Amino acid sequence: MTIKDTPEEWEIRATETPFRGNKTSVRTDDVVMPDGSVVRRDYQVHPGSVAVLALDDAGRVLLIRQYRHPVRQKLWEIPAGLLDVPGENPLHAAQRELYEEAHVKAEDWRVLTDVYTTPGGCDEAVRVFLARNLAEAEGERFAVEDEETDLEYARVPVDELVRGVLAGELHNNCLVVGVLSLVAAQNGDGLDALRPAEAEWPARPFES
C-alpha cells in the first residue's frame, strides 16, 4: 500500500455561498456519503497561500511577529501571503512576500513542503518555500498598513525554534511545518535534494 494522498470528489447534490468576503468566502455543499445519505458541509473557500522559510548563512531563520486577531495573540511567523491572482506562479508570490514583509531577497529557492492548513473546514493550500543566499532588497521599503504597521523582526537559530515548537511556545502553522521540515531535510538527503522552486503543485496549478 502506497501512503500518498490522492484526488477524489464525492457527488454534490446542491451548493450555495452564504457569505462572500474580501479574499475568502464560505460555501455550503450537500455531499453524498458512501451509504447514500446526504450531509451538509460548510467550509471556507480560500485562494491559497505561500510562505517563506528564509535561512541565512549563520543558520538562522527570519521571523516576523504579528498580531492575529482570531486567536488574540502575537505570533512569531515566517513571511507569508495570499496568492492574489488565480493561476499565479507561487514562486513569484513568495518572492513578493519576502520583499514586502522583510525587505529581503534570496538567490536560492526550493520547495520545502506543501500542506492543507485545515482540510476539515477550509480548502486553503500552502506552499512553503526554502529561501537561501539572503540579501537586503534594493530600493525603499514596501508601505505597510493595518496589523503590519506593528511588525517585529528577528533571526533565530533553527535549534531554538525546534525547542520552541516542541515546548508549545510557537504555534503558527507555516513556522511549525517549515522548521520541522527543514530539520528533516537536513537530516535526510540534504537541502539540495528538495524539489525545485517551480515544481508542480496540483492543489494550485500555475504556469511558469
Side-chain angles (χ1 to χ4, degrees):
M1 180 179 179
T2 301
I3 305 300
K4 180 179 179 180
D5 297 336
T6 55
E8 185 167 341
E9 188 167 350
W10 292 0
E11 180 185 354
I12 298 173
R13 291 280 175 85
T15 186
E16 59 185 63
T17 305
F19 170 79
R20 294 183 186 275
N22 184 34
K23 296 291 186 180
T24 67
S25 60
V26 173
R27 184 175 297 163
T28 299
D29 290 341
D30 292 341
V31 186
V32 180
M33 297 290 109
D35 64 359
S37 61
V38 178
V39 177
R40 177 156 287 194
R41 292 287 179 257
D42 303 314
Y43 59 99
Q44 183 184 19
V45 178
H46 193 285
S49 306
V50 292
V52 184
L53 192 146
L55 185 68
D56 69 16
D57 292 340
R60 302 173 302 173
V61 176
L62 172 64
L63 298 185
I64 295 169
R65 190 173 185 231
Q66 182 171 352
Y67 175 67
R68 293 302 189 182
H69 186 69
V71 295
R72 308 300 198 272
Q73 289 194 18
K74 273 192 169 182
L75 301 181
W76 284 106
E77 307 177 351
I78 57 178
L82 298 176
L83 293 169
D84 291 333
V85 180
E88 181 179 17
N89 186 317
L91 174 60
H92 299 165
Q95 291 169 332
R96 179 184 68 238
E97 292 300 330
L98 185 61
Y99 164 73
E100 291 183 356
E101 293 195 352
H103 201 66
V104 168
K105 62 181 181 179
E107 295 298 325
D108 187 277
W109 290 83
R110 310 262 174 171
V111 174
L112 194 52
T113 189
D114 300 322
V115 295
Y116 293 115
T117 53
T118 49
C122 179
D123 71 352
E124 181 184 15
V126 180
R127 169 156 281 188
V128 183
F129 288 91
L130 171 66
R132 293 181 291 173
N133 298 341
L134 308 182
E136 289 294 313
E138 300 173 354
E140 296 183 2
R141 279 188 168 271
F142 183 77
V144 297
E145 58 184 12
D146 303 327
E147 289 91 344
E148 293 181 349
T149 60
D150 191 43
L151 293 182
E152 300 173 51
Y153 301 89
R155 294 195 182 200
V156 183
V158 173
D159 289 349
E160 185 176 336
L161 294 177
V162 171
R163 184 207 60 78
V165 168
L166 299 181
E169 298 169 355
L170 299 170
H171 306 88
N172 175 262
N173 180 287
C174 292
L175 171 60
V176 172
V177 170
V179 166
L180 298 185
S181 296
L182 173 71
V183 173
Q186 289 174 326
N187 293 335
D189 294 332
L191 301 184
D192 290 336
L194 291 168
R195 286 175 290 163
E198 297 197 77
E200 182 183 43
W201 191 17
R204 293 294 184 275
F206 64 94
E207 294 184 5
S208 300

